[in-house]
Amino acid sequence: MAAAALREQLNALLSSMFASGLVDDQFQQLQMLQEDGGTPGFVAEVVTLFCDDADRIISELAALLEQPIVDFDKVDAYVHQLKGSSASVGAQKVKFTCMQFRQLCQDKNRDGCIMALAVVRNEFYDLRNKFQTMLQLEQQIQAQQ
Amino acid sequence: MTVTARGRSGGGAGMEEKCDAPGLGFLGLDRMRVLLPPLRLPEKLSASRTLRTHLFTNYRMRKVRDSSRWLIPLWVSIWVFIASLIYLRMSYQAVEKRRELLAIMCDDRARMLQDQLNVSMNHLQALAILVSTFHHSKTPSAIDQKTFAWYAERTAFERPLTSGVAYGVKVTHAEREQFERQQGWSIKKMYSSKTKKQSQGPGNAEDAEVREPAEEYAPVIFAQDAYKHVISFDLLSGADDRDNVLRARESGKGVLTAPFKLLNNRLGVISTYAVYKYELPPNARPQERIQAAIGYLGGIFDIEALVDKSLHQLAGKQSIMVNVYDTTNEKPISMYGSNDTGSGMCKVTLNFGDPTRKHEMHCRFIQSPPWPWLAITTSIGIFVIGLLVGYIIYATAKRIARVEDDFQEMSLLKKRAEDADIAKSQFLATVSHEIRTPMNGVLGMLQMLMDTDLDTTQQDYVRTAQASGKALVSLINEVLDQAKIESGKLELEAVPFDLRTVCDDILSLFCGKAQEKGLELAVFVSDQVPQTLIGDPGRIRQIITNLVGNSIKFTEKGHIYLTVHVVEEIMHCLEVETGTQYANTLSGYPVANRKRSWENFRLFSRELNSSEMPFATSASDSISLIISVEDTGVGIPSDAQSRVFTPFMQVGPSIARIHGGTGIGLSISKCLVGLMKGEIGFASKPQVGSTFTFTAVLTRAHSSVNENKSSEFKGINALVVDHRPVRAKVTKYHLQRLGVHNELTTDLDQYISKINCGSQIAKLVLIDKETWLKESHSLPLLVTKLRNKDQPDSTKLFLLENPKSSVKSNSHIFREYNLNVIMKPLRASMLQVSLQRALGGIDKLHCRNGVVGNSILGSLLRKKQIIVVDDNIVNLKVAAGALKKYGAEVTCADSGKKAITLLKPPHSFDACFMDIQMPEMDGFEATRRIRVMERDLNEQIERGEAPPECAGVRQWRTPILAMTADVIQATHEQCLKSEMDGYVSKPFEGEQLYREVARFFLNQDQVQ
């Protein structure tokens, strides 16, 4: 494929991500940081970090919520961490879900938490897929250049 | 709530339409829910507090009410008790007094009675001695019956109480015959006491029996005429008399008989005295006395008469009743008075000189004691007073209770109202904050949409949408400000800043709009205003921006003129360019009188009253600035002038339609001015213009900052040609800031003649375009004159272009004369660039375009060692990336503990960005520990024990900035409390990051 077409595809993907609210202007700022700061691969690095971190947190959360007596304080701490990460990356939807999750945590609503975790997981997987596509596209563009 | 929130989320974030339902909810509704709980907390707190106070007061009230139920009877009974006590005491005193009175009266009577009796008795004794002297001691006797009777009769006044006296002589049985013969009568026997009295009635001596023979006789030989019949009766024959006689001669004193009925049916007693043959010693024995006795004198006392008489002497005190008793025997014999024995008797013992007989006097008031009216009325009066006092107390207590109740209720309501108000403000603050976030999304999307391939109509739509969105965001910001001010969350910063730069920035902000409308925009800052001030530049900018924005909105022609002066300056020359003359304004249009806009300021009235004040204030570090914005707009109708500063009030409903805006700006400005301890006022003339003026108290920055004037323009002379002095002054001000020495002239011809004389020529000539057009006839001459000199550094000509005159039509002018054109509004930076360009020596590196941006941040952060602390690696990465972009060298730490070990002085870090919320050790705690370590080291340095790495460092204090996702929650105050230097929001925001970083890095650089 031609680099131009790939770039167009990448732009379309990013636009759709912004449009659907998956990511917000913070993600845009990250991209600007990469472009202005002259640090190639910065976005990829951050995104990978975020995905690994989030994946770990989600599995931790799942384990915590499966236990007979749920330690909501621990859950809350994890969700807060996830919220912070998603805010930094600009993963808007994950962030909002985390905010709701935290509310449920404070209410000590176990079923609600499990539901919220499912939503967070869905949102996250959705985002991760998009991110992976994005990164692949970027790599392809770079390879072409 | 739910509906609106959902509606807002749906409408606000249209890009979410495609995504699933939960996502839609999260954006608006659920975040609302997430954010609301913190709001409820203060309400709950205050509610519990008010509940507690309410319960407490209720308890008190109930106590008062409960106690009043048994307090009333208790009170009444206490007063009944007190009243009866008083009654008893008073009546007892009255009785006592009465008794005393009675005793005194009784005593008086007894004394008198006694005295009179004694007088009579004494006389009786004297009579006895007389008889002894003249009858027995003389032979023949000097006294016979006739003499005795006569004497007794004549001395009767001496014995007022004796009705009669008689004398009996002692005759033994052996002498009886001789005695009877001598006297010529036989001794007769007295009747027994009962019969005697009857027989004595007619006094028939002849009827009496002859005395039977006895051992001894005592026949009466002398008697008063009234008692002549008793002569010849033997005194010893009567039982009573015999007893009396025997006792009298034994004791040698007068003795009394028991009372008996006298002839006149009145009670009487007989007193008997013994007559002795010779004078006896006072201690003579009774036997001797009996031997010596030769006769007996008896006197009859009329007791009744006696008492009557004595009582009569005390007449006027008749209210007393007197009884006299002989109490010798068990049963007292009444001697005087009725037998009435009532209560309240007073008994007095009488001494009638006879020790064997006892007498008593009983006294009593005739009238029964009167009712103790005084006591009764007094006690009743006191009781009534007590009841009244009690009622007053009760009524007062009740009233107090009611007032307190009311007060409690009112304060509860007040508290609730205040709480509601605070909650409202907080809600507004939170909601506005939350609305901003999706709005940014909307705006960003619109921006991106504009970059896509759109046709003209679509672009127009998008542009409109974006403009609306921007308006909404600014409106939300205003509401947020207002809410913040109302909830007291707004705090002013105190950072050093350059007011001139701020003013320039504002001017550049409105540059476009002013050009659009063809308005002249100018700023003038007095040279009295210090270069660097300490205050809140953001807020000052906000106020000025608001005022200038309003002016631009309502001005269609003329100018907007921003001036900054020191208050003292205005004070000393109040007439300084007040602009009352039309010709003397910036654009020649008339303006409202500036002076009137501040005539209501307290600052001035105070200072005018006391002339010492200005000196006092000028001595301190604080400096009062007076900032005016003058326009030539439509003005404010006089009926709307009173509500200009009221939030959400606009001149009329049509204004909002034409000009937009919420009408909140001036209200915010007023609040902000108030926070800066200043005042705001305005003067406005409809269809002429308005002038808004405010004062603000700021602090002088002490550090002598090297002036912004670049040295490159030193020694350059400039000439400003402008026929309007005000405008010329503005130009001069800007040139002065650049260090250009300049002079003003209003007349070109004069200058041309000066050049002809060959005097000093200015290197720069700045001519206002209006003046140019006005004096176009002489200008070509000037230009040629200047060019003719043929010098290498020939004079540069500048045309100050007014935006209102269209460039196109006049472009031939500067093309023709090779003029440099400077577009107004003038700003120092812009002027600098223009001059540099014209003078050729343009140093690209030092070219400042006056925009605070990333380049400055970069210069601030370049090569700085910065440590970023965050437990979240993603956050850490992003923050580090952002800082690296500005050229900083970043070290990462993923926990507070690690930060502490890294920041253990001495170290080489210039600053630290610290996440607040971290597990194990949060940012506040970590900062505290770092500060403790730094203090320790500082102490060591003071003592001179510092490790060698610290040489040359006087004090360690690493700037620590908090990073927080929630700016509202993490207030500046909280950061300062844990000794942080400031906070930045997370994710980083260029402007804020700059402001915070600049605060200490700029200072640092200045110090160094």
Side-chain angles (χ1 to χ4, degrees):
Chain A
M1 246 191 281
L6 282 172
R7 198 171 289 280
E8 207 167 289
Q9 205 178 336
L10 178 62
N11 282 341
L13 173 69
L14 287 174
S15 298
S16 81
M17 278 165 77
F18 279 116
S20 63
L22 211 56
V23 290
D24 58 12
D25 55 350
Q26 180 61 27
F27 183 68
Q28 200 179 358
Q29 286 209 346
L30 285 185
Q31 284 179 314
M32 276 161 68
L33 271 182
Q34 176 171 285
E35 284 155 27
D36 297 353
T39 46
F42 177 67
V43 173
E45 194 184 345
V46 171
V47 162
T48 318
L49 256 175
F50 166 71
C51 288
D52 294 350
D53 194 41
D55 210 17
R56 182 181 59 84
I57 289 170
I58 284 171
S59 50
E60 291 273 8
L61 281 173
L64 273 174
L65 286 172
E66 268 168 28
Q67 259 152 39
I69 297 157
V70 179
D71 184 353
F72 281 105
D73 287 341
K74 227 170 178 177
V75 172
D76 189 50
Y78 274 120
V79 177
H80 176 237
Q81 208 178 343
L82 183 59
K83 190 189 128 197
S85 308
S86 49
S88 276
V89 175
Q92 195 172 219
K93 276 195 182 178
V94 178
K95 187 176 84 180
F96 290 155
T97 323
C98 284
M99 284 161 85
Q100 203 192 27
F101 199 162
R102 284 195 76 182
Q103 183 63 44
L104 291 166
C105 257
Q106 273 151 25
D107 296 343
K108 303 216 186 296
N109 182 349
R110 186 179 173 165
D111 295 337
C113 281
I114 290 168
M115 290 255 294
L117 180 64
V119 178
V120 167
R121 192 184 273 135
N122 283 342
E123 298 280 7
F124 170 65
Y125 286 161
D126 185 21
L127 182 69
R128 193 170 62 177
N129 286 337
K130 294 258 170 66
F131 273 152
Q132 277 166 354
T133 320
M134 180 188 83
L135 292 178
Q136 276 172 6
L137 281 171
E138 274 178 355
Q139 275 173 1
Q140 281 171 3
I141 290 169
Q142 274 186 342
Q144 295 243 338
Q145 282 169 349
Chain B
M1 180 67 223
T2 315
V3 175
T4 52
R6 247 181 199 283
R8 198 177 296 154
S9 76
M15 70 259 186
E16 289 215 337
E17 275 170 4
K18 267 183 277 176
C19 73
D20 44 355
L24 188 76
F26 294 152
L27 199 120
L29 170 67
D30 300 301
R31 270 201 301 164
M32 239 29 129
R33 207 197 307 161
V34 168
L35 274 144
L36 279 178
L39 289 181
R40 289 196 205 109
L41 191 64
E43 225 174 338
K44 252 188 236 166
L45 258 176
S46 62
S48 74
R49 196 170 31 193
T50 48
L51 188 68
R52 207 168 49 216
T53 51
H54 188 69
L55 279 179
F56 175 65
T57 46
N58 257 10
Y59 167 72
R60 253 173 58 201
M61 289 298 100
R62 212 179 304 131
K63 215 171 77 176
V64 167
R65 272 163 206 160
D66 286 351
S67 61
S68 74
R69 209 172 295 150
W70 54 265
L71 215 63
I72 292 169
L74 181 73
W75 182 265
V76 170
S77 51
I78 283 173
W79 280 99
V80 165
F81 179 70
I82 289 171
S84 50
L85 217 65
I86 285 165
Y87 169 75
L88 285 177
R89 176 149 183 81
M90 283 184 79
S91 57
Y92 174 75
Q93 272 175 346
V95 166
E96 200 64 358
K97 208 170 159 190
R98 201 175 145 86
R99 188 176 297 154
E100 264 170 40
L101 187 69
L102 185 67
I104 289 166
M105 284 167 88
C106 200
D107 223 40
D108 278 355
R109 276 153 188 74
R111 287 289 93 70
M112 182 160 287
L113 198 60
Q114 232 163 269
D115 286 351
Q116 289 193 352
L117 195 76
N118 283 345
V119 166
S120 299
M121 297 265 287
N122 286 345
H123 202 267
L124 214 59
Q125 199 171 7
L127 203 61
I129 292 162
L130 182 92
V131 170
S132 138
T133 315
F134 291 99
H135 182 61
H136 294 287
S137 306
K138 289 238 193 247
T139 29
S141 163
I143 298 172
D144 56 359
Q145 158 64 27
K146 197 178 164 195
T147 321
F148 183 86
W150 186 66
Y151 178 80
E153 202 64 52
R154 289 191 61 182
T155 56
F157 70 91
E158 294 270 22
R159 312 176 297 276
L161 302 172
T162 42
S163 46
V165 288
Y167 178 69
V169 75
K170 180 183 172 186
V171 177
T172 55
H173 188 62
E175 293 165 339
R176 183 174 172 172
E177 295 281 329
Q178 192 199 346
F179 181 78
E180 276 181 346
R181 231 179 16 250
Q182 225 172 21
Q183 294 291 332
W185 38 261
S186 56
I187 297 167
K188 293 180 194 88
K189 181 192 167 188
M190 273 171 61
Y191 308 109
S192 65
S193 51
K194 275 174 196 165
T195 50
K196 181 184 164 187
K197 278 168 205 156
Q198 282 164 352
S199 66
Q200 271 177 349
N204 200 344
E206 286 76 30
D207 300 342
E209 300 166 46
V210 170
R211 174 79 161 98
E212 67 267 27
E215 194 186 333
E216 199 181 311
Y217 311 97
V220 173
I221 54 170
F222 306 133
Q224 231 177 315
D225 282 347
Y227 293 92
K228 234 178 192 164
H229 57 274
V230 298
I231 292 175
S232 81
F233 283 97
D234 183 8
L235 286 173
L236 289 172
S237 60
D240 282 344
D241 288 336
R242 181 188 169 84
D243 183 48
N244 240 21
V245 166
L246 292 180
R247 274 200 295 129
R249 80 178 178 197
E250 260 171 48
S251 64
K253 285 177 186 158
V255 293
L256 294 172
T257 61
F260 57 89
K261 275 254 195 291
L262 292 183
L263 294 177
N264 48 10
N265 236 357
R266 285 156 69 152
L267 281 171
V269 288
I270 293 172
S271 165
T272 312
Y273 274 96
V275 178
Y276 299 99
K277 252 188 278 188
Y278 44 83
E279 190 76 24
L280 279 167
N283 55 348
R285 277 178 292 132
Q287 201 54 44
E288 285 172 351
R289 284 182 193 274
I290 293 165
Q291 289 296 317
I294 50 166
Y296 317 99
L297 189 75
I300 299 163
F301 286 89
D302 186 346
I303 289 291
E304 259 178 90
L306 172 73
V307 176
D308 270 345
K309 215 173 204 171
S310 69
L311 289 185
H312 190 70
Q313 285 182 353
L314 291 167
K317 293 175 180 178
Q318 291 279 330
S319 56
I320 190 167
M321 177 185 252
V322 176
N323 288 337
V324 181
Y325 295 96
D326 183 313
T327 52
T328 314
N329 299 327
E330 294 276 303
K331 192 166 175 271
I333 305 155
S334 176
M335 289 165 76
Y336 176 78
S338 62
N339 266 332
D340 175 23
T341 50
S343 59
M345 277 294 188
C346 174
K347 295 181 183 179
V348 179
T349 317
L350 290 172
N351 180 15
F352 287 155
D354 181 357
T356 55
R357 290 227 160 257
K358 293 188 185 80
H359 297 88
E360 264 184 13
M361 182 185 259
H362 291 189
C363 300
R364 166 173 94 71
F365 284 104
I366 295 169
Q367 285 142 357
S368 57
W371 282 93
W373 287 117
L374 187 69
I376 290 169
T377 48
T378 308
S379 55
I380 286 175
I382 282 169
F383 178 66
V384 168
I385 288 168
L387 284 189
L388 285 176
V389 167
Y391 179 73
I392 288 166
I393 291 170
Y394 173 72
T396 313
K398 218 170 145 184
R399 175 135 187 86
I400 287 170
R402 207 172 60 227
V403 168
E404 247 175 52
D405 260 2
D406 286 357
F407 170 73
Q408 288 302 331
E409 200 182 331
M410 290 301 154
S411 57
L412 197 72
L413 289 176
K414 181 173 166 278
K415 187 94 199 76
R416 256 189 229 155
E418 280 170 356
D419 286 347
D421 196 45
I422 289 169
K424 183 211 81 182
S425 296
Q426 279 181 338
F427 174 76
L428 263 181
T430 319
V431 166
S432 316
H433 183 74
E434 282 308 300
I435 293 170
R436 260 199 313 191
T437 322
M439 270 316 291
N440 285 336
V442 173
L443 288 178
M445 286 302 107
L446 287 170
Q447 187 63 48
M448 290 175 80
L449 187 62
M450 274 171 92
D451 294 342
T452 55
D453 190 20
L454 298 172
D455 63 27
T456 330
T457 325
Q458 282 170 330
Q459 277 212 331
D460 186 41
Y461 290 166
V462 174
R463 207 172 293 122
T464 313
Q466 197 181 26
S468 313
K470 274 180 182 161
L472 181 56
V473 168
S474 66
L475 164 63
I476 288 163
N477 284 343
E478 282 179 347
V479 171
L480 183 60
D481 270 347
Q482 176 84 20
K484 262 189 182 171
I485 291 167
E486 277 177 11
S487 60
K489 271 198 180 146
L490 194 88
E491 281 157 8
L492 290 183
E493 286 185 313
V495 294
F497 71 101
D498 183 2
L499 186 64
R500 289 177 175 84
T501 319
V502 171
C503 291
D504 279 357
D505 287 351
I506 294 164
L507 245 59
S508 25
L509 193 68
F510 288 105
C511 196
K513 269 189 188 166
Q515 276 172 358
E516 251 172 54
K517 283 191 156 182
L519 298 173
E520 186 151 4
L521 198 57
V523 60
F524 175 78
V525 181
S526 158
D527 52 2
Q528 301 276 311
V529 178
Q531 184 76 22
T532 315
L533 291 161
I534 293 173
D536 192 332
R539 295 305 174 183
I540 287 182
R541 182 199 305 258
Q542 191 179 352
I543 300 167
I544 299 174
T545 308
N546 179 258
L547 294 179
V548 174
N550 277 347
S551 290
I552 286 207
K553 213 185 273 178
F554 295 109
T555 307
E556 298 303 327
K557 59 181 194 320
H559 69 267
I560 289 149
Y561 184 29
L562 168 66
T563 53
V564 182
H565 288 276
V566 179
V567 164
E568 280 84 358
E569 204 182 340
I570 297 285
M571 292 294 303
H572 293 319
C573 44
L574 276 170
E575 287 305 314
V576 62
E577 45 102 27
T578 46
T580 39
Q581 295 156 342
Y582 292 168
N584 203 16
T585 63
L586 198 68
S587 60
Y589 284 101
V591 295
N593 192 346
R594 197 152 73 100
K595 218 166 92 183
R596 206 170 298 151
S597 66
W598 65 64
E599 64 189 2
N600 287 331
F601 283 12
R602 261 170 306 160
L603 179 72
F604 287 100
S605 54
R606 195 174 60 222
E607 288 189 359
L608 284 172
N609 290 340
S610 57
S611 53
E612 305 93 53
M613 279 300 287
F615 300 107
T617 50
S618 61
S620 65
D621 277 349
S622 63
I623 181 166
S624 295
L625 296 183
I626 182 158
I627 301 168
S628 291
V629 177
E630 172 188 291
D631 69 47
T632 55
V634 292
I636 302 164
S638 40
D639 60 322
Q641 289 189 0
S642 59
R643 49 172 203 267
V644 159
F645 293 113
T646 318
F648 305 109
M649 278 290 181
Q650 285 188 326
V651 168
S654 58
I655 295 290
R657 272 206 303 279
I658 300 167
H659 303 283
T662 48
I664 205 174
L666 279 174
S667 155
I668 292 171
S669 298
K670 192 179 161 74
C671 292
L672 291 173
V673 167
L675 282 174
M676 291 179 193
K677 300 189 201 95
E679 287 158 281
I680 189 162
F682 67 97
S684 185
K685 243 191 216 171
Q687 305 312 321
V688 170
S690 317
T691 304
F692 278 81
T693 303
F694 72 94
T695 61
V697 180
L698 300 169
T699 318
R700 259 179 241 269
H702 269 300
S703 54
S704 53
V705 186
N706 50 336
E707 302 259 306
N708 203 14
K709 295 168 187 171
S710 43
S711 54
E712 56 181 319
F713 298 115
K714 255 191 194 137
I716 293 175
N717 288 328
L719 177 76
V720 177
V721 184
D722 199 330
H723 65 283
R724 288 226 170 86
V726 177
R727 198 162 49 190
K729 213 174 86 178
V730 172
T731 316
K732 188 185 169 186
Y733 151 72
H734 286 292
L735 286 171
Q736 264 175 349
R737 284 175 62 195
L738 296 173
V740 179
H741 178 77
N742 59 57
E743 57 181 296
L744 298 177
T745 183
T746 50
D747 192 4
L748 262 178
D749 299 332
Q750 204 183 335
Y751 182 67
I752 291 165
S753 59
K754 236 183 185 175
I755 297 168
N756 288 338
C757 298
S759 60
Q760 198 196 8
I761 297 161
K763 200 170 178 191
L764 303 168
V765 177
L766 293 99
I767 306 168
D768 192 86
K769 183 146 181 202
E770 217 180 324
T771 315
W772 178 280
L773 293 173
K774 200 175 146 203
E775 312 215 2
S776 49
H777 58 280
S778 57
L779 273 168
L781 181 66
L782 171 76
V783 173
T784 38
K785 276 256 161 61
L786 291 171
R787 301 267 189 253
N788 277 350
K789 294 284 174 184
D790 258 343
Q791 282 167 350
D793 51 342
S794 62
T795 306
K796 302 283 180 194
L797 266 173
F798 292 92
L799 193 66
L800 299 178
E801 174 94 52
N802 212 358
K804 73 177 169 190
S805 47
S806 87
V807 182
K808 282 175 200 162
S809 62
N810 295 311
S811 57
H812 66 277
I813 298 175
F814 62 89
R815 225 174 280 148
E816 188 181 338
Y817 297 105
N818 188 20
L819 294 174
N820 295 297
V821 176
I822 299 173
M823 279 299 282
K824 285 199 225 175
L826 289 178
R827 280 154 288 153
S829 52
M830 186 199 70
L831 196 61
Q832 187 182 18
V833 173
S834 302
L835 294 184
Q836 276 169 341
R837 202 182 296 138
L839 290 169
I842 298 167
D843 186 356
K844 289 275 183 198
L845 277 179
H846 290 288
C847 174
R848 267 190 66 200
N849 56 1
V851 180
V852 177
N854 293 347
S855 60
I856 290 186
L857 193 58
S859 71
L860 280 173
L861 290 172
R862 182 157 292 134
K863 298 289 173 206
K864 297 282 185 206
Q865 295 280 343
I866 290 175
I867 179 164
V868 180
V869 188
D870 199 324
D871 64 308
N872 191 320
I873 44 166
V874 180
N875 286 355
L876 204 57
K877 195 82 206 166
V878 172
L883 286 168
K884 269 181 192 158
K885 186 181 131 188
Y886 298 122
E889 289 175 17
V890 182
T891 311
C892 294
D894 58 5
S895 73
K897 278 183 183 163
K898 200 169 168 194
I900 289 172
T901 49
L902 282 170
L903 279 170
K904 184 174 167 60
H907 56 73
S908 57
F909 293 107
D910 295 305
C912 172
F913 287 88
M914 176 91 74
D915 185 27
I916 288 176
Q917 215 172 359
M918 285 187 292
E920 286 182 62
M921 188 186 291
D922 67 7
F924 293 132
E925 177 62 27
T927 309
R928 264 192 288 275
R929 295 207 184 173
I930 290 163
R931 292 297 179 224
V932 168
M933 291 193 306
E934 284 175 349
R935 262 195 292 275
D936 287 349
L937 186 72
N938 286 339
E939 276 170 26
Q940 280 182 1
I941 291 171
E942 256 174 52
R943 289 197 302 264
E945 301 164 3
E949 302 94 340
C950 308
V953 181
R954 271 185 299 132
Q955 229 187 346
W956 276 95
R957 188 182 164 92
T958 317
I960 298 178
L961 291 168
M963 290 193 293
T964 168
D966 192 350
V967 184
I968 275 198
Q969 200 183 354
T971 57
H972 199 73
E973 201 180 306
Q974 205 180 343
C975 291
L976 291 181
K977 210 189 279 171
S978 42
E979 295 179 277
M980 286 183 167
D981 297 281
Y983 66 85
V984 292
S985 65
K986 197 169 70 169
F988 286 163
E989 199 181 285
E991 178 78 5
Q992 200 195 8
L993 188 66
Y994 166 71
R995 228 189 295 144
E996 290 296 326
V997 169
R999 261 222 339 253
F1000 47 85
F1001 278 158
L1002 271 180
N1003 285 352
Q1004 214 174 26
D1005 290 348
Q1006 279 162 14
V1007 170
Q1008 282 163 3

